[in-house]
Amino acid sequence: MTIREQLELWEKDYLSPYATLSMYSKGRAKEEEQCDIRPVFQRDRDRILHSKSFRRLKDKTQVFLTPEGDHYRTRLTHTLEVSQNARTIAKALRMNEDLVEAIALGHDLGHTPFGHAGERALNRICPYGFEHNVQSVRTVEKLEKGGQGLNLTWEVKDGILNHQTASIPSTLEGKIVRLSDKIAYIHHDMDDAIRGGILKEEDVPKEIGDVIGYTTGERLDHFIHDIVTTSFETEDIRMSEPVAEAMQKLRRFMFERVYQNKEAKSEESKAEMLIETLYTYYFKHFDKLPADMRRMEESGEPTEKIVCDYIAAMTDRFAIAVYEKLYVPKSWHG
């Protein structure tokens, strides 16, 4: 018996009856030989962690564009915080921690440079539209490894696709990540807003603070404990009604005070213009794209989608550098 098979049997004996077991995965689009050490979801986690798209997250905006300071979150640190929240909940509920971690690490791989400003710009200019969760699945299926993709399991891709509020994942592990994502961004975006002088802890309305706490640390702890106690030994992942209501109020508060704050978002219109300008340029000059991107046309991919893929994969820094190279004149040296 291989180590993988022993681990699969351990899952069957130890994990919750509602957990997703590695041995019962719906599998991969392309069949491949099993690893003798790692169950399938652990293998997916490793593939995501070693991917180029994962490494690029370190230089993609979370909320604040190019902030002055080393401690503001990036898309990568957001992803790691989602993963940590989700693993804590999964371990307490005896869910499949490998599946949770794989979904969490992969959920934002398709995010654009400049955060949601970049997403809005591509959605507006690309005739096929743009949603980062759909792009994350496209990244792991078609764009990674020079067009080969990562060949992830069905369960991981389902969790990545359905991590947003409007969708429901098929596994409880996916539901854990879906809630953990919201907890993470509300927690760290408020922490960053306080660091940036946009908010103070005491600004949180009393009706919210009385339910879930008055500091970022108290709220994070309360959210996680509430999910664990409310979901324990049930076939669902959810918050209690008072905490879920408080989180919705806190989310609305964050939209009013941070996400739509004119000072914090003052540069976003420039970022959107930059993204739209690059899209227009590469659509007109398709031959300037890297060779592996151009080859996607041979398989029937529309030009608009290929250009969108290229722009979405850029980091903030690379997008600015390309724009400067194309449109900002340099000093002449005789």
Side-chain angles (χ1 to χ4, degrees), residues 119 122-131 135 304-305 308:
E119 185 172 16
L122 284 181
N123 186 52
R124 186 164 55 240
I125 197 168
C126 179
Y128 293 94
F130 184 90
E131 296 176 277
Q135 188 68 15
E304 295 91 342
K305 275 198 171 184
C308 200

Side-chain angles (χ1 to χ4, degrees), residues 79-286:
T79 294
L80 294 175
E81 290 186 38
V82 173
S83 176
Q84 185 56 53
N85 292 343
R87 287 178 57 202
T88 298
I89 295 167
K91 183 170 284 188
L93 296 176
R94 291 187 296 121
M95 292 293 154
N96 194 315
E97 202 174 337
D98 288 335
L99 175 55
V100 155
E101 189 172 17
I103 295 170
L105 294 181
H107 83 282
D108 269 355
L109 291 181
H111 230 301
T112 58
F114 311 118
H116 290 288
E119 185 172 16
R120 286 195 300 270
L122 284 181
N123 186 52
R124 186 164 55 240
I125 197 168
C126 179
Y128 293 94
F130 184 90
E131 296 176 277
H132 78 269
N133 59 316
V134 175
Q135 188 68 15
S136 294
V137 175
R138 183 171 168 83
T139 298
V140 300
E141 284 186 336
K142 296 186 177 182
L143 303 181
E144 268 291 338
K145 297 183 72 174
Q148 295 180 57
L150 300 180
N151 197 29
L152 303 181
T153 56
W154 182 90
E155 292 81 3
V156 172
K157 291 190 293 184
D158 172 82
I160 291 172
L161 180 65
N162 295 301
H163 76 268
Q164 293 188 287
T165 304
S167 306
I168 303 295
S170 299
T171 66
L172 295 190
E173 287 81 2
K175 289 183 177 182
I176 289 173
V177 174
R178 181 172 172 269
L179 272 178
S180 297
D181 182 36
K182 292 164 184 57
I183 292 169
Y185 74 67
I186 288 174
H187 168 257
H188 61 53
D189 292 351
M190 179 169 285
D191 189 46
D192 282 352
I194 292 169
R195 178 175 290 105
I198 295 170
L199 287 178
K200 298 187 293 293
E201 291 278 15
E202 52 266 32
D203 290 338
V204 176
K206 187 174 186 299
E207 61 176 324
I208 298 174
D210 284 349
V211 178
I212 56 177
Y214 281 94
T215 68
T216 54
E218 286 177 357
R219 287 187 290 272
L220 178 61
D221 186 68
H222 198 98
F223 282 141
I224 290 175
H225 274 82
D226 183 76
I227 292 170
V228 170
T229 55
T230 306
S231 306
F232 192 73
E233 294 186 347
T234 71
E235 200 171 358
D236 197 10
I237 304 296
R238 62 185 187 275
M239 291 179 172
S240 65
E241 287 189 19
V243 172
E245 184 179 346
M247 187 174 80
Q248 287 303 317
K249 289 179 180 177
L250 184 59
R251 190 170 179 269
R252 287 194 293 270
F253 171 78
M254 289 293 289
F255 267 93
E256 292 168 5
R257 298 291 298 272
V258 179
Y259 302 139
Q260 297 170 348
N261 182 286
K262 291 182 179 179
E263 182 182 347
K265 298 296 182 178
S266 60
E267 300 296 301
E268 285 196 352
S269 60
K270 298 178 186 178
E272 292 185 36
M273 179 274 295
L274 185 153
I275 292 293
E276 292 187 11
T277 302
L278 291 182
Y279 178 94
T280 302
Y281 174 84
Y282 283 109
F283 184 73
K284 292 179 179 178
H285 302 88
F286 189 74

Side-chain angles (χ1 to χ4, degrees), residues 34-93:
Q34 289 264 39
C35 177
D36 61 342
I37 296 175
R38 297 167 298 166
V40 289
F41 302 137
Q42 183 183 348
R43 203 174 184 189
D44 283 2
R45 186 273 314 275
D46 295 350
R47 290 179 182 185
I48 291 168
L49 192 64
H50 291 292
S51 68
K52 290 180 180 178
S53 51
F54 182 79
R55 293 197 293 276
R56 288 196 297 268
L57 294 176
K58 68 183 173 63
D59 195 26
K60 291 194 177 191
T61 291
Q62 172 57 26
V63 170
F64 299 103
L65 294 179
T66 58
E68 294 183 1
D70 295 332
H71 300 130
Y72 291 92
R73 270 66 169 199
T74 65
R75 189 61 59 178
L76 178 60
T77 57
H78 161 73
T79 294
L80 294 175
E81 290 186 38
V82 173
S83 176
Q84 185 56 53
N85 292 343
R87 287 178 57 202
T88 298
I89 295 167
K91 183 170 284 188
L93 296 176

Side-chain angles (χ1 to χ4, degrees), residues 19 23 102 106 302 320 334:
M23 65 171 63
I320 292 170

